[in-house]
Amino acid sequence: SFVHDIFERLATEAGRLARYNGKHTITSREIQTSVRLILPGELAKHAVSEGTKAVTKYNSAGDE
């Protein structure tokens, strides 16, 4: 499916970025960079914005 294909591409690219930087863990930074590399223009901007919002919400919920 479309969603599975996009997930696979993003995960593979994020893994490559982590390996390239000598890390064993994929962080939100690698995911964000892979989104910028794989998704086209405006779609990437919106995806990064929504992802940042989700991570911020998750992190603030952990503080409570």
Side-chain angles (χ1 to χ4, degrees), residues 1-53:
S1 73
F2 174 75
V3 173
H4 187 263
D5 181 49
I6 294 296
F7 175 80
E8 285 293 323
R9 290 185 196 188
L10 292 173
T12 302
E13 187 63 36
R16 279 193 202 118
L17 288 165
R19 215 174 315 119
Y20 178 78
N21 290 315
K23 294 183 178 179
H24 296 285
T25 306
I26 294 174
T27 65
S28 60
R29 183 181 177 108
E30 282 79 35
I31 297 295
Q32 187 177 92
T33 304
S34 63
V35 165
R36 285 195 171 127
L37 289 170
I38 291 171
L39 298 181
E42 200 67 23
L43 187 57
K45 287 180 189 173
H46 286 289
V48 167
S49 173
E50 290 299 316
T52 302
K53 189 166 73 174

